[in-house]
Amino acid sequence: MEKKVFGYPEFSTEGEQILCTYENEYRDMLMDIRVYRMKKGEERHFSKEKEEFAVLLLSGKIKFVYEGTEKEGSRKDVFTEGPYAMHLSKGKEVLIKALEDSEILVQCTENEKDFPTEFYEPKDAPWIYSGAKGKFGNVANRQVNTIFDHEIAPLSNMVLGEVLNDRGNWSGYLPHRHDQPECYYFKFDRPEGFGASFVGDQVFKSVDGSFSAIPGGCLHPQAVAPGFLMYTCWMIRHLPSKPWNQTDRCEDERYTWLHDAKF
């Protein structure tokens, strides 16, 4: 039976949207990832006994209360402003206070190592056009930021970053794969926006709030329809003794001729 690799989760009445867990059909991601909608004045407390976790602001304005310190983050939306995020190791806790109606993403994975809590602001994870800009017929243009990866957070077992596709452009092109599992969470700048998500030989319609659970070793290019901006939160789980690195991009050799092609 083919494993489930794409989902269209809905928010519960409590404002929780569950993507992958260690027990559900996306358990191969080795992560627990959820999105929360918070009303102004609402508070949520996060603490993990055996997991590291990251709290990423998607929209709104929140206050991070942790270790006797307070930090604020404000983000109109993921299409116009950069990320605020906090990364904590096991046993630590953070209280999130919504100063406005807000939306946050919480990414967790098991990790016995301790490391200092980090607070990331937009200046720490700037949007940068990837090396594909202007190539492949000028239709694979995307901005990428890396909030933390193995180089930035060597004691972490996961990676957190964001992608913003130009309208009608491809992402993750050329088709590539890596051994580590990866999860994509999609948002579009209009409610009718859509794209195409490839996981190996399967293709899915990506819409606002959908996600892709990409097993290690699967090719996974993405595309967005003309007229729409597509945001992707990308989350990778390192493997024991095999962390993911920025250079671990293994492109499908059937398409590498495109690097030198002229259109």
Side-chain angles (χ1 to χ4, degrees):
M1 183 178 178
E2 204 160 30
K3 292 182 179 178
K4 198 170 182 182
V5 296
F6 204 88
Y8 301 91
E10 296 184 355
F11 281 90
S12 69
T13 55
E14 291 76 31
E16 181 183 49
Q17 183 188 38
I18 300 175
L19 278 60
C20 55
T21 73
Y22 305 120
E23 290 82 31
N24 73 3
E25 56 265 60
Y26 306 103
R27 64 181 70 89
D28 287 352
M29 294 299 98
L30 306 176
M31 293 182 284
D32 185 298
I33 303 172
R34 307 175 190 226
V35 178
Y36 297 92
R37 287 176 175 166
M38 300 178 64
K39 295 293 185 182
K40 181 179 179 180
E42 184 179 349
E43 298 182 356
R44 283 189 180 269
H45 175 264
F46 297 98
S47 179
K48 307 294 179 180
E49 184 178 348
K50 297 181 179 180
E51 300 163 273
E52 63 172 293
F53 64 102
V55 180
L56 170 66
L57 176 62
L58 297 175
S59 64
K61 185 176 183 180
I62 62 174
K63 180 179 291 185
F64 301 81
V65 183
Y66 69 105
E67 300 169 11
T69 304
E70 295 184 358
K71 298 282 189 178
E72 286 189 9
S74 178
R75 193 177 198 185
K76 179 182 177 182
D77 55 53
V78 295
F79 307 101
T80 56
E81 297 182 326
Y84 287 87
M86 181 164 288
H87 186 201
L88 305 95
S89 62
K90 66 175 178 64
K92 296 184 178 179
E93 58 185 55
V94 61
L95 177 67
I96 303 297
K97 297 183 177 181
L99 306 180
E100 299 174 357
D101 288 355
S102 303
E103 193 168 281
I104 61 173
L105 179 146
V106 180
Q107 175 195 14
C108 313
T109 195
E110 294 181 354
N111 188 348
E112 288 299 319
K113 296 185 285 291
D114 293 306
F115 51 81
T117 299
E118 295 288 348
F119 179 69
Y120 299 98
E121 302 178 65
K123 64 180 178 60
D124 300 315
W127 292 103
I128 301 172
Y129 271 101
S130 71
K133 183 174 174 59
K135 298 178 68 174
F136 316 132
N138 201 34
V139 291
N141 299 328
R142 62 171 187 164
Q143 298 179 73
V144 182
N145 71 51
T146 303
I147 299 169
F148 62 84
D149 60 5
H150 186 59
E151 182 177 353
I152 296 168
L155 296 180
S156 175
N157 283 342
M158 60 190 192
V159 179
L160 176 63
E162 301 179 312
V163 174
L164 187 62
N165 280 73
D166 285 5
R167 303 179 195 278
N169 275 237
W170 285 78
S171 182
Y173 202 81
L174 301 177
H176 69 285
R177 59 170 65 88
H178 44 74
D179 293 334
Q180 299 81 4
E182 182 170 16
C183 188
Y184 287 162
Y185 180 69
F186 301 103
K187 295 184 78 68
F188 291 82
D189 64 335
R190 292 180 61 90
E192 74 274 24
F194 69 97
S197 178
F198 294 74
V199 184
D201 292 328
Q202 301 181 77
V203 188
F204 303 89
K205 182 180 180 180
S206 48
V207 297
D208 196 76
S210 62
F211 77 100
S212 182
I214 306 158
C218 280
L219 295 170
H220 50 283
Q222 315 289 317
V224 60
F228 304 103
L229 289 175
M230 181 174 76
Y231 163 91
T232 307
C233 181
W234 54 283
M235 297 158 280
I236 296 176
R237 174 53 155 92
H238 297 310
L239 296 177
S241 303
K242 195 169 188 179
W244 179 87
N245 290 290
Q246 297 281 354
T247 55
D248 285 350
R249 186 185 181 87
C250 184
E251 295 176 337
D252 189 321
E253 62 183 13
R254 294 175 297 173
Y255 302 102
T256 53
W257 62 271
L258 283 160
H259 282 297
D260 302 314
K262 306 296 181 184
F263 294 94

